[in-house]
Amino acid sequence: MGFFTRLKSLFSRKKPPVLGLALGSGGAKGMAHLGALKAFEEAKLSFSVVTGASIGGIVGALYAKGYSAADMIGIVEGLNRKEFAKNLKPFSDLTFAERFLEDYLEGDFDTLPMPFAVSATDGVTNENVIIREGKLARALTASAAIPPFFRGVEIGDKKLYDGAFSNAIPADVCRELGAEIVVAIDLSAFVRSEEEKGRFSRIVGSAINAMSPVRNTPDCKSRGYAAADIMLRPNLYDYKATDVSRPSMDAMYEIGYEEAKAHIAEIQALIEKRTKEKKR
């Protein structure tokens, strides 16, 4: 092959599409996100745009900062759960969580090497609010402030709550930030119906909903499904967002890992297909 032919080949090579990751809400079920990230790492799949809601926002920010799945496991293992649990009272202030997050995610959004955003919910209008600037740790606590367990977090002139209420899997935001292929993870694809819950659980759930200043919007999850190219749905039916025992967290990690592994070939095939379709 001559010099000019090689040069032409080099410049005509198509770039792979920008790969984005949208991580859904789910509390302790977020261990499945870490399992999925481990599977992606093994397959050498890396993402250039990340979005998330609640625990998905926290995991997404750590990923965007450059932490590996193993690094994140280390953070979880280093958490003083007893001390953390002391702050889990109705209408708790999330300052303690913000301080904890600052140990790993100090600074503003512009310190991250890739586009990143988190989903939150306006406590007055119930509208989705996408946070892309300002202090990272504060934005993450706003995205995870689920009432009535936590107070809303003030950012600017808004009091914000958990993003799960208005955009639980922000795949649409991931696409708006430049992702050409969006892989998303729904941690709540398999949940108990109201009929399957016990009477006491239903009563407690109704009381919690009555005290909440925000409500689920009709499209809080469907908008994520509509925008995602590939949706991972780890079967976490047997687990709750509050399951923080070591056996439960290990099991959720493995479920997320296996779910991601099962979709690796599909993701790679889509990347290859879109790469061929791209025009320079």
Side-chain angles (χ1 to χ4, degrees):
M1 184 184 291
F3 172 76
F4 288 106
T5 303
R6 289 198 300 271
L7 190 65
K8 181 180 179 182
S9 174
L10 177 65
F11 282 97
S12 62
R13 190 176 300 159
K14 295 176 181 177
K15 295 180 180 179
V18 177
L19 194 59
L21 181 64
L23 300 174
S25 61
K29 294 181 184 180
M31 287 300 296
H33 285 327
L34 305 192
L37 290 179
K38 178 61 176 176
F40 295 146
E41 288 172 8
E42 291 178 351
K44 296 185 174 11
L45 281 175
S46 59
F47 298 87
S48 302
V49 179
V50 185
T51 58
S54 201
I55 188 62
I58 294 171
V59 173
L62 290 168
Y63 181 88
K65 190 77 170 180
Y67 289 92
S68 67
D71 294 332
M72 296 182 212
I73 288 290
I75 293 171
V76 173
E77 290 179 343
L79 178 64
N80 187 329
R81 298 181 193 179
K82 288 184 179 180
E83 188 64 30
F84 205 82
K86 289 180 182 178
N87 293 283
L88 299 183
K89 298 172 290 189
F91 305 105
S92 293
D93 187 298
L94 276 167
T95 302
F96 76 98
E98 185 176 333
R99 287 197 300 265
F100 172 78
L101 290 170
E102 283 178 336
D103 288 340
Y104 306 96
L105 293 163
E106 186 180 13
D108 293 352
F109 278 72
D110 58 14
T111 64
L112 299 176
M114 66 178 70
F116 171 71
V118 289
S119 169
T121 304
D122 191 308
V124 175
T125 67
N126 210 92
E127 294 175 338
N128 186 225
V129 175
I130 299 302
I131 311 173
R132 289 192 58 195
E133 60 183 11
K135 190 178 178 183
L136 262 173
R138 175 159 285 259
L140 296 173
T141 57
S143 180
I146 183 167
F149 304 106
F150 303 117
R151 300 177 194 169
V153 175
E154 294 185 3
I155 295 182
D157 60 351
K158 298 180 184 296
K159 181 171 283 191
L160 301 177
Y161 292 89
D162 199 305
F165 289 97
S166 55
N167 195 348
I169 317 164
D172 54 335
V173 181
C174 201
R175 197 170 293 283
E176 289 169 5
L177 292 182
E180 296 170 289
I181 292 177
V182 178
V183 177
I185 304 179
D186 180 6
L187 299 179
S188 302
F190 300 90
V191 295
R192 284 178 170 78
S193 65
E194 287 300 313
E195 292 74 20
E196 292 176 292
K197 295 177 182 177
R199 182 169 179 271
F200 179 74
S201 293
R202 292 198 300 271
I203 292 172
V204 171
S206 296
I208 289 173
N209 289 335
M211 290 186 286
S212 177
V214 287
R215 298 285 185 273
N216 287 329
T217 60
D219 64 346
C220 63
K221 280 186 64 174
S222 61
R223 62 192 293 177
Y225 273 78
D229 292 288
I230 296 174
M231 181 67 74
L232 275 58
R233 304 170 76 243
N235 191 342
L236 302 171
Y237 177 87
D238 292 328
Y239 303 94
K240 300 177 183 177
T242 54
D243 283 341
V244 295
S245 70
R246 184 60 183 264
S248 293
M249 294 178 78
D250 288 346
M252 290 187 283
Y253 176 90
E254 287 299 323
I255 291 169
Y257 175 79
E258 293 298 335
E259 174 70 3
K261 274 193 72 173
H263 286 82
I264 293 296
E266 181 185 3
I267 296 169
Q268 291 173 330
L270 183 57
I271 292 171
E272 184 177 351
K273 179 176 180 288
R274 295 283 179 86
T275 300
K276 290 178 179 178
E277 292 173 349
K278 283 189 74 172
K279 297 179 180 179
R280 290 192 63 82

PDB file of all heavy atoms in Angstrom, residues 45-65:
ATOM      1  N   LEU A  45     -15.373  -1.670  27.397  1.00  0.00           N
ATOM      2  CA  LEU A  45     -16.365  -0.681  26.965  1.00  0.00           C
ATOM      3  C   LEU A  45     -16.231   0.542  27.858  1.00  0.00           C
ATOM      4  O   LEU A  45     -16.359   0.439  29.079  1.00  0.00           O
ATOM      5  CB  LEU A  45     -17.782  -1.242  27.094  1.00  0.00           C
ATOM      6  CG  LEU A  45     -18.294  -2.186  26.011  1.00  0.00           C
ATOM      7  CD1 LEU A  45     -19.661  -2.721  26.400  1.00  0.00           C
ATOM      8  CD2 LEU A  45     -18.358  -1.494  24.665  1.00  0.00           C
ATOM      9  N   SER A  46     -15.987   1.679  27.265  1.00  0.00           N
ATOM     10  CA  SER A  46     -15.884   2.914  28.054  1.00  0.00           C
ATOM     11  C   SER A  46     -16.897   3.918  27.539  1.00  0.00           C
ATOM     12  O   SER A  46     -17.204   3.970  26.344  1.00  0.00           O
ATOM     13  CB  SER A  46     -14.467   3.492  27.979  1.00  0.00           C
ATOM     14  OG  SER A  46     -14.115   3.771  26.646  1.00  0.00           O
ATOM     15  N   PHE A  47     -17.401   4.717  28.474  1.00  0.00           N
ATOM     16  CA  PHE A  47     -18.448   5.686  28.152  1.00  0.00           C
ATOM     17  C   PHE A  47     -17.889   7.097  28.209  1.00  0.00           C
ATOM     18  O   PHE A  47     -17.034   7.413  29.035  1.00  0.00           O
ATOM     19  CB  PHE A  47     -19.616   5.523  29.125  1.00  0.00           C
ATOM     20  CG  PHE A  47     -20.258   4.169  29.048  1.00  0.00           C
ATOM     21  CD1 PHE A  47     -19.762   3.099  29.800  1.00  0.00           C
ATOM     22  CD2 PHE A  47     -21.331   3.935  28.216  1.00  0.00           C
ATOM     23  CE1 PHE A  47     -20.331   1.841  29.715  1.00  0.00           C
ATOM     24  CE2 PHE A  47     -21.913   2.684  28.121  1.00  0.00           C
ATOM     25  CZ  PHE A  47     -21.414   1.627  28.878  1.00  0.00           C
ATOM     26  N   SER A  48     -18.399   7.953  27.326  1.00  0.00           N
ATOM     27  CA  SER A  48     -17.900   9.323  27.209  1.00  0.00           C
ATOM     28  C   SER A  48     -18.872  10.356  27.737  1.00  0.00           C
ATOM     29  O   SER A  48     -18.534  11.530  27.869  1.00  0.00           O
ATOM     30  CB  SER A  48     -17.580   9.639  25.743  1.00  0.00           C
ATOM     31  OG  SER A  48     -16.635   8.726  25.238  1.00  0.00           O
ATOM     32  N   VAL A  49     -20.109   9.933  28.019  1.00  0.00           N
ATOM     33  CA  VAL A  49     -21.146  10.815  28.570  1.00  0.00           C
ATOM     34  C   VAL A  49     -21.887  10.013  29.631  1.00  0.00           C
ATOM     35  O   VAL A  49     -22.205   8.841  29.414  1.00  0.00           O
ATOM     36  CB  VAL A  49     -22.143  11.269  27.476  1.00  0.00           C
ATOM     37  CG1 VAL A  49     -23.219  12.166  28.083  1.00  0.00           C
ATOM     38  CG2 VAL A  49     -21.431  11.983  26.341  1.00  0.00           C
ATOM     39  N   VAL A  50     -22.157  10.626  30.775  1.00  0.00           N
ATOM     40  CA  VAL A  50     -22.830   9.902  31.860  1.00  0.00           C
ATOM     41  C   VAL A  50     -23.899  10.785  32.499  1.00  0.00           C
ATOM     42  O   VAL A  50     -23.690  11.991  32.701  1.00  0.00           O
ATOM     43  CB  VAL A  50     -21.830   9.464  32.958  1.00  0.00           C
ATOM     44  CG1 VAL A  50     -22.539   8.624  34.007  1.00  0.00           C
ATOM     45  CG2 VAL A  50     -20.677   8.672  32.368  1.00  0.00           C
ATOM     46  N   THR A  51     -25.039  10.178  32.800  1.00  0.00           N
ATOM     47  CA  THR A  51     -26.091  10.865  33.558  1.00  0.00           C
ATOM     48  C   THR A  51     -26.633   9.891  34.600  1.00  0.00           C
ATOM     49  O   THR A  51     -26.443   8.679  34.501  1.00  0.00           O
ATOM     50  CB  THR A  51     -27.255  11.323  32.658  1.00  0.00           C
ATOM     51  OG1 THR A  51     -27.816  10.179  31.982  1.00  0.00           O
ATOM     52  CG2 THR A  51     -26.790  12.338  31.631  1.00  0.00           C
ATOM     53  N   GLY A  52     -27.329  10.430  35.600  1.00  0.00           N
ATOM     54  CA  GLY A  52     -27.892   9.549  36.611  1.00  0.00           C
ATOM     55  C   GLY A  52     -28.912  10.252  37.469  1.00  0.00           C
ATOM     56  O   GLY A  52     -29.033  11.479  37.463  1.00  0.00           O
ATOM     57  N   ALA A  53     -29.649   9.443  38.204  1.00  0.00           N
ATOM     58  CA  ALA A  53     -30.616   9.953  39.172  1.00  0.00           C
ATOM     59  C   ALA A  53     -30.375   9.250  40.492  1.00  0.00           C
ATOM     60  O   ALA A  53     -30.179   8.034  40.534  1.00  0.00           O
ATOM     61  CB  ALA A  53     -32.049   9.701  38.698  1.00  0.00           C
ATOM     62  N   SER A  54     -30.365  10.023  41.592  1.00  0.00           N
ATOM     63  CA  SER A  54     -30.225   9.476  42.934  1.00  0.00           C
ATOM     64  C   SER A  54     -28.930   8.668  43.053  1.00  0.00           C
ATOM     65  O   SER A  54     -27.860   9.176  42.766  1.00  0.00           O
ATOM     66  CB  SER A  54     -31.471   8.636  43.263  1.00  0.00           C
ATOM     67  OG  SER A  54     -31.616   8.477  44.650  1.00  0.00           O
ATOM     68  N   ILE A  55     -28.995   7.385  43.452  1.00  0.00           N
ATOM     69  CA  ILE A  55     -27.771   6.581  43.567  1.00  0.00           C
ATOM     70  C   ILE A  55     -27.088   6.464  42.208  1.00  0.00           C
ATOM     71  O   ILE A  55     -25.852   6.390  42.125  1.00  0.00           O
ATOM     72  CB  ILE A  55     -28.078   5.184  44.151  1.00  0.00           C
ATOM     73  CG1 ILE A  55     -26.771   4.428  44.449  1.00  0.00           C
ATOM     74  CG2 ILE A  55     -28.965   4.385  43.217  1.00  0.00           C
ATOM     75  CD1 ILE A  55     -25.876   5.078  45.477  1.00  0.00           C
ATOM     76  N   GLY A  56     -27.872   6.487  41.136  1.00  0.00           N
ATOM     77  CA  GLY A  56     -27.288   6.449  39.801  1.00  0.00           C
ATOM     78  C   GLY A  56     -26.454   7.683  39.512  1.00  0.00           C
ATOM     79  O   GLY A  56     -25.454   7.625  38.807  1.00  0.00           O
ATOM     80  N   GLY A  57     -26.867   8.823  40.088  1.00  0.00           N
ATOM     81  CA  GLY A  57     -26.083  10.041  39.934  1.00  0.00           C
ATOM     82  C   GLY A  57     -24.763   9.950  40.674  1.00  0.00           C
ATOM     83  O   GLY A  57     -23.723  10.386  40.171  1.00  0.00           O
ATOM     84  N   ILE A  58     -24.794   9.373  41.870  1.00  0.00           N
ATOM     85  CA  ILE A  58     -23.569   9.250  42.661  1.00  0.00           C
ATOM     86  C   ILE A  58     -22.585   8.313  41.972  1.00  0.00           C
ATOM     87  O   ILE A  58     -21.399   8.642  41.799  1.00  0.00           O
ATOM     88  CB  ILE A  58     -23.899   8.744  44.082  1.00  0.00           C
ATOM     89  CG1 ILE A  58     -24.720   9.808  44.829  1.00  0.00           C
ATOM     90  CG2 ILE A  58     -22.634   8.417  44.848  1.00  0.00           C
ATOM     91  CD1 ILE A  58     -25.283   9.339  46.155  1.00  0.00           C
ATOM     92  N   VAL A  59     -23.064   7.148  41.529  1.00  0.00           N
ATOM     93  CA  VAL A  59     -22.200   6.205  40.815  1.00  0.00           C
ATOM     94  C   VAL A  59     -21.696   6.832  39.517  1.00  0.00           C
ATOM     95  O   VAL A  59     -20.519   6.704  39.160  1.00  0.00           O
ATOM     96  CB  VAL A  59     -22.948   4.888  40.528  1.00  0.00           C
ATOM     97  CG1 VAL A  59     -22.114   3.962  39.646  1.00  0.00           C
ATOM     98  CG2 VAL A  59     -23.297   4.186  41.832  1.00  0.00           C
ATOM     99  N   GLY A  60     -22.586   7.539  38.822  1.00  0.00           N
ATOM    100  CA  GLY A  60     -22.201   8.179  37.568  1.00  0.00           C
ATOM    101  C   GLY A  60     -21.135   9.234  37.760  1.00  0.00           C
ATOM    102  O   GLY A  60     -20.205   9.343  36.947  1.00  0.00           O
ATOM    103  N   ALA A  61     -21.235  10.011  38.824  1.00  0.00           N
ATOM    104  CA  ALA A  61     -20.231  11.043  39.091  1.00  0.00           C
ATOM    105  C   ALA A  61     -18.880  10.414  39.401  1.00  0.00           C
ATOM    106  O   ALA A  61     -17.833  10.902  38.947  1.00  0.00           O
ATOM    107  CB  ALA A  61     -20.686  11.918  40.259  1.00  0.00           C
ATOM    108  N   LEU A  62     -18.881   9.336  40.159  1.00  0.00           N
ATOM    109  CA  LEU A  62     -17.626   8.640  40.465  1.00  0.00           C
ATOM    110  C   LEU A  62     -16.998   8.088  39.190  1.00  0.00           C
ATOM    111  O   LEU A  62     -15.784   8.179  38.985  1.00  0.00           O
ATOM    112  CB  LEU A  62     -17.888   7.513  41.465  1.00  0.00           C
ATOM    113  CG  LEU A  62     -18.250   7.958  42.890  1.00  0.00           C
ATOM    114  CD1 LEU A  62     -18.773   6.779  43.702  1.00  0.00           C
ATOM    115  CD2 LEU A  62     -17.037   8.583  43.584  1.00  0.00           C
ATOM    116  N   TYR A  63     -17.831   7.537  38.319  1.00  0.00           N
ATOM    117  CA  TYR A  63     -17.327   7.022  37.039  1.00  0.00           C
ATOM    118  C   TYR A  63     -16.750   8.163  36.203  1.00  0.00           C
ATOM    119  O   TYR A  63     -15.657   8.047  35.632  1.00  0.00           O
ATOM    120  CB  TYR A  63     -18.451   6.327  36.269  1.00  0.00           C
ATOM    121  CG  TYR A  63     -17.995   5.756  34.943  1.00  0.00           C
ATOM    122  CD1 TYR A  63     -17.484   4.470  34.862  1.00  0.00           C
ATOM    123  CD2 TYR A  63     -18.060   6.515  33.774  1.00  0.00           C
ATOM    124  CE1 TYR A  63     -17.047   3.944  33.654  1.00  0.00           C
ATOM    125  CE2 TYR A  63     -17.620   6.005  32.557  1.00  0.00           C
ATOM    126  CZ  TYR A  63     -17.121   4.722  32.499  1.00  0.00           C
ATOM    127  OH  TYR A  63     -16.681   4.218  31.298  1.00  0.00           O
ATOM    128  N   ALA A  64     -17.485   9.264  36.126  1.00  0.00           N
ATOM    129  CA  ALA A  64     -17.032  10.411  35.338  1.00  0.00           C
ATOM    130  C   ALA A  64     -15.732  11.000  35.886  1.00  0.00           C
ATOM    131  O   ALA A  64     -14.927  11.561  35.145  1.00  0.00           O
ATOM    132  CB  ALA A  64     -18.117  11.491  35.304  1.00  0.00           C
ATOM    133  N   LYS A  65     -15.518  10.849  37.178  1.00  0.00           N
ATOM    134  CA  LYS A  65     -14.300  11.349  37.812  1.00  0.00           C
ATOM    135  C   LYS A  65     -13.103  10.453  37.527  1.00  0.00           C
ATOM    136  O   LYS A  65     -11.951  10.879  37.628  1.00  0.00           O
ATOM    137  CB  LYS A  65     -14.526  11.437  39.325  1.00  0.00           C
ATOM    138  CG  LYS A  65     -13.437  12.173  40.096  1.00  0.00           C
ATOM    139  CD  LYS A  65     -13.567  13.670  39.945  1.00  0.00           C
ATOM    140  CE  LYS A  65     -12.645  14.409  40.886  1.00  0.00           C
ATOM    141  NZ  LYS A  65     -12.752  15.878  40.747  1.00  0.00           N
TER     142      LYS A  65
END
